[in-house]
Amino acid sequence: MGQYTQEGGITCWRKLCPLAEGIGYGGQLILLYSCMTYIIILSWALLYLVFSFSSQLPWANCNNYWNTDDCVDFSAKNYTFHWTNRTNSASAATEFWQRRVLSISGGIEEVGSIRWEVLLCLIVMWIICYFCIWKGVKSTGKVVYFTATFPYVMLLILLIRGLSLPGALQGVVFYLLPDPSRLMDPQVWMEAGAQIFFSYSVGVGCLTVLGSYNKQNNNCYKDCLYLSLLNSGTSIVAGFAVFSVLGFMAHEQSVPIAEVAESGPGLAFIAYPQAVAMMPLPQLWSICFFVMLILLGLDTQFVAMEVVVTSIIDMFPRVMRKAGRRERFLLLFCLTCFFSQLVMVTEGGMYVFQMFDYYACNGACILFLCVFETLALGWVFGAERLCGIIKDMTGERVNPFFKICWLYLTPLVSLGSFICSLVEYQPLTFNRWYVYPSWAYVLGWVLALSSILLVPGWTLYKLSTGTGTLRQRFNDLCQSVLDNSLTQKRETELQNMRAEVLQPLTLH
């Protein structure tokens, strides 16, 4: 719908259905949290990339000052004996991650000092992000041609290398043949659904905002098809690259692959670096991996920042579209996020980072927004009206299946997944042993509810400040300001306001 209204995020919802304006605010808040957490991962990746140029990878052995007596060197011939005969053993990659990079403290209540190397990497990443998007999609679109395509070269190289390793077949089989008992676990399906929402940036306004830069008659059918195929295809290919390496690790350690497979930061900063250290020419493969990780992460960070900035600019076009206003606002946005996340680069920062990731950017928050988005779009704004707009844009009639999805299937699936996420909720722990204090859980739920409560809260605010009876206020807020086609005057105004935009930004 963004390309039809030529405005994205909050403004788009305001024009489509004023009653649902709070949905836009909730989505933008989740994106703001994502900007603060995702760039921390990029900072860690940049630090690992710098270490990859060492004559010997620092996570490849236990001969460093940060290692303990329980460290296990997998490059040694007798590592299997040491690994199986120590209850508190930790790999060299694990100790490098926890004791060298993070210097992790005993808990969130022990903030400790700032990790200056990570802080420096964080500053570098913010500078890169700022200058890549400071001119809007005019500059971001050019950068994305490199950041979105070069990782595929790196992925292909890592895939070929991974499949050529001994034990790769074991990892591929583990990847392709799921455990039937796990398929009966509703938690698995809930997490898979949440991952799909994250992968496609559904529910937070990314596609709406980026679509607003397209021409009105752009073929959204074709774009959606290509986006789905490219996104899912990339995930499948990446799975082969990752699990072939994990199969190699399991083969070298003579352990089941389930014991070496990790998720989240553990996969990127422990499991994969450890596997790379066991290969010939480890520096080369480490550089390839972290370059790919940084470029892929930059794409995501660019989009999140662009969506938030564009949404704010569209809310105040007369003020924000003046020369130099976007650059100054983006600088203020970057500085605010940077100073707000300084606690995440301390010795206790990993606990704060995990809390933001688990609560503020939780899949349940997005699922909640998606329930109300589909209800507002399909039932309040109207599925028939939406079909008419798409026909006006593309000249093609909408398949009736999409109406079924808008009206019934998507709301029910989103609601069911949201309810399951609440039923299956488990309090956050770190490494399965550290239990957060009570005040941290309260803070976590405040972060989660900050985006969720914006939807009913804003609705109550609009209803209470309106005029007329409650029924009249509700009906007025359900009336869209959009006609079935854009007038020539509106098209000319939008072209003048966005004359600097030369090409749309493609989301990868």
Side-chain angles (χ1 to χ4, degrees):
M1 288 304 299
Q3 69 190 63
Y4 186 81
T5 64
Q6 291 293 295
E7 292 165 312
I10 300 168
T11 307
C12 182
W13 278 110
R14 181 188 297 165
K15 291 187 176 297
L16 290 176
C17 177
L19 189 66
E21 186 178 342
I23 296 174
Y25 289 109
Q28 298 306 302
L29 189 57
I30 293 177
L31 275 179
L32 178 61
Y33 293 144
S34 299
C35 286
M36 295 177 58
T37 56
Y38 212 88
I39 200 167
I40 295 292
I41 300 177
L42 295 180
S43 304
W44 294 333
L46 179 59
L47 185 58
Y48 267 78
L49 179 61
V50 173
F51 279 116
S52 298
F53 290 92
S54 304
S55 58
Q56 185 178 26
L57 295 180
W59 57 83
N61 59 72
C62 298
N63 302 323
N64 306 286
Y65 69 87
W66 59 82
N67 294 125
T68 66
D69 294 336
D70 294 321
C71 179
V72 176
D73 185 357
F74 285 105
S75 62
K77 294 182 179 180
N78 61 341
Y79 66 82
T80 303
F81 171 79
H82 289 291
W83 180 259
T84 57
N85 286 275
R86 293 185 182 183
T87 57
N88 297 321
S89 297
S91 67
T94 300
E95 291 203 345
F96 176 80
W97 166 242
Q98 295 183 352
R99 299 176 61 85
R100 178 65 177 88
V101 176
L102 300 178
S103 187
I104 193 165
S105 65
I108 192 172
E109 60 275 11
E110 301 177 21
V111 176
S113 60
I114 290 178
R115 301 295 297 158
W116 295 105
E117 293 169 322
V118 180
L119 177 63
L120 181 60
C121 291
L122 179 63
I123 294 174
V124 172
M125 297 311 304
W126 273 118
I127 292 175
I128 292 175
C129 291
Y130 175 81
F131 285 105
C132 285
I133 74 168
W134 70 326
K135 294 296 184 182
V137 295
K138 179 180 179 180
S139 61
T140 312
K142 297 176 182 178
V143 175
V144 167
Y145 279 125
F146 173 74
T147 60
T149 56
F150 188 72
Y152 284 98
V153 178
M154 296 289 99
L155 180 61
L156 180 61
I157 294 173
L158 293 172
L159 174 63
I160 295 173
R161 179 53 181 159
L163 294 176
S164 65
L165 294 170
L169 181 60
Q170 177 186 355
V172 172
V173 171
F174 183 86
Y175 172 53
L176 296 178
L177 299 180
D179 183 358
S181 63
R182 296 288 291 165
L183 295 178
M184 302 301 294
D185 186 356
Q187 181 71 14
V188 172
W189 290 100
M190 191 274 292
E191 291 181 358
Q195 179 58 38
I196 291 295
F197 278 73
F198 273 114
S199 180
Y200 285 89
S201 297
V202 175
V204 293
C206 289
L207 300 178
T208 306
V209 170
L210 297 180
S212 69
Y213 287 96
N214 287 329
K215 297 178 180 179
Q216 183 199 354
N217 60 352
N218 180 67
N219 193 327
C220 55
Y221 278 140
K222 184 185 296 183
D223 285 354
C224 291
L225 177 62
Y226 287 167
L227 174 64
S228 301
L229 292 177
L230 183 62
N231 196 318
S232 299
T234 302
S235 299
I236 292 173
V237 173
F240 281 98
V242 169
F243 278 89
S244 61
V245 173
L246 294 180
F248 163 71
M249 286 182 61
H251 176 269
E252 292 294 303
Q253 299 177 25
S254 300
V255 296
I257 191 172
E259 295 186 14
V260 299
E262 299 191 44
S263 61
L267 176 62
F269 300 109
I270 298 178
Y272 212 95
Q274 180 178 305
V276 165
M278 300 165 66
M279 300 179 189
L281 301 176
Q283 289 86 352
L284 173 62
W285 306 117
S286 180
I287 292 171
C288 290
F289 175 72
F290 287 109
V291 166
M292 180 189 71
L293 189 65
I294 290 172
L295 292 180
L296 286 175
L298 281 174
D299 282 343
T300 304
Q301 186 71 14
F302 290 163
V303 169
M305 294 173 63
E306 182 65 44
V307 168
V308 174
V309 172
T310 299
S311 297
I312 300 299
I313 292 176
D314 283 344
M315 291 177 64
F316 310 101
R318 300 299 178 187
V319 177
M320 299 300 295
R321 292 188 187 279
K322 295 182 180 179
R325 295 290 177 85
R326 175 191 170 88
E327 291 84 350
R328 289 196 289 270
F329 174 74
L330 180 60
L331 178 61
L332 177 63
F333 173 80
C334 293
L335 290 175
T336 302
C337 290
F338 171 75
F339 287 109
S340 300
Q341 65 186 171
L342 285 180
V343 67
M344 296 187 190
V345 295
T346 61
E347 294 175 347
M350 185 60 183
Y351 301 102
V352 180
F353 168 85
Q354 192 183 42
M355 190 171 65
F356 266 80
D357 184 62
Y358 191 81
Y359 289 101
C361 306
N362 193 291
C365 300
I366 298 179
L367 290 169
F368 180 85
L369 292 180
C370 287
V371 172
F372 285 91
E373 284 183 8
T374 51
L375 290 177
L377 198 62
W379 292 92
V380 180
F381 181 75
E384 285 292 342
R385 192 175 187 183
L386 184 59
C387 292
I389 288 177
I390 295 177
K391 183 180 179 181
D392 181 59
M393 291 164 55
T394 65
E396 301 179 13
R397 296 186 60 86
V398 177
N399 191 303
F401 175 74
F402 288 99
K403 293 174 62 177
I404 297 176
C405 290
W406 296 330
L407 292 171
Y408 307 106
L409 188 58
T410 305
L412 290 176
V413 171
S414 300
L415 180 61
S417 300
F418 174 72
I419 294 174
C420 285
S421 67
L422 296 181
V423 173
E424 298 292 333
Y425 165 75
Q426 296 291 333
L428 175 65
T429 59
F430 181 77
N431 280 353
R432 300 184 181 90
W433 62 267
Y434 173 75
V435 178
Y436 283 73
S438 300
W439 63 265
Y441 291 121
V442 173
L443 179 58
W445 276 107
V446 169
L447 291 173
L449 293 175
S450 63
S451 58
I452 290 177
L453 293 182
L454 277 175
V455 178
W458 188 258
T459 301
L460 293 175
Y461 168 75
K462 297 295 287 187
L463 288 174
S464 62
T465 56
T467 57
T469 65
L470 182 62
R471 184 182 183 88
Q472 290 174 334
R473 299 176 194 176
F474 182 82
N475 290 333
D476 291 340
L477 292 174
C478 291
Q479 298 297 319
S480 172
V481 300
L482 293 177
D483 297 323
N484 284 338
S485 62
L486 292 176
T487 63
Q488 185 64 38
K489 179 180 178 181
R490 178 59 175 158
E491 289 180 343
T492 303
E493 180 184 359
L494 291 168
Q495 289 174 2
N496 292 335
M497 295 175 67
R498 280 189 153 165
E500 76 278 4
V501 179
L502 299 180
Q503 58 190 23
L505 174 64
T506 302
L507 175 61
H508 291 277

